[in-house]
Amino acid sequence: QVQLVESGGGLVQAGGSLRLSCAASGSIIKINSMGWYRQAPGKQRELVATITSGGATIYTNSVKGRFTISRDNAKNTVYLQMNSLEPEDTAVYSCNANVLPYASPRNLEVWGQGTLVTVSS
């Protein structure tokens, strides 16, 4: 069984910074892409950023230049450094990973439980 555990959310003032972490654990052969999604109150979940095993990244337009996604393959961990935070960034941030577990013949999408980020104005 593969699990993703997130940490690093919290309350911050506008203009501040937070760093989210997400660690994958379990019987994993390989982790392909990893990413962060967010869901604000009353809105649909949206992609924030993704990173491949080789380090290629994609960002949604609203966070480009402010957020940086990175990963440590040796630790099966993905990070999201969030700078210049805005009240519009307030949401539950969830980690996602596409993994190949030992117990499965195919890749699986795994989700973390989510961590709340609140940006006050």
Side-chain angles (χ1 to χ4, degrees), residues 38-59:
R38 66 185 180 185
Q39 186 167 20
K43 294 187 177 181
Q44 290 188 330
R45 183 170 62 191
E46 65 170 350
L47 169 70
V48 178
T50 63
I51 184 168
T52 67
S53 57
T57 58
I58 295 175
Y59 296 92

Side-chain angles (χ1 to χ4, degrees), residues 3-4 8 10 20 29 47 57 68 73 100 106 117:
Q3 289 185 321
L4 300 179
L20 306 182
I29 296 175
L47 169 70
T57 58
T68 301
N73 291 330
L100 179 60
R106 63 182 67 87
V117 172

Side-chain angles (χ1 to χ4, degrees), residues 12-16 38 62-63 66-67 83-91 93 117-121:
V12 64
Q13 288 189 331
R38 66 185 180 185
S62 62
V63 307
R66 301 188 297 121
F67 291 10
N83 299 328
S84 301
L85 282 160
E86 303 169 353
E88 293 73 24
D89 296 316
T90 295
Y93 285 70
V117 172
T118 304
V119 184
S120 62
S121 57

Side-chain angles (χ1 to χ4, degrees), residues 13-95:
Q13 288 189 331
S17 298
L18 282 175
R19 188 192 194 208
L20 306 182
S21 299
C22 171
S25 63
S27 299
I28 300 170
I29 296 175
K30 180 182 179 182
I31 300 178
N32 301 303
S33 64
M34 301 185 81
W36 290 94
Y37 290 73
R38 66 185 180 185
Q39 186 167 20
K43 294 187 177 181
Q44 290 188 330
R45 183 170 62 191
E46 65 170 350
L47 169 70
V48 178
T50 63
I51 184 168
T52 67
S53 57
T57 58
I58 295 175
Y59 296 92
T60 191
N61 286 338
S62 62
V63 307
K64 286 180 180 178
R66 301 188 297 121
F67 291 10
T68 301
I69 189 170
S70 61
R71 65 189 281 176
D72 185 334
N73 291 330
K75 296 181 179 180
N76 288 343
T77 300
V78 64
Y79 306 96
L80 186 67
Q81 178 66 44
M82 304 184 293
N83 299 328
S84 301
L85 282 160
E86 303 169 353
E88 293 73 24
D89 296 316
T90 295
V92 174
Y93 285 70
S94 298
C95 175

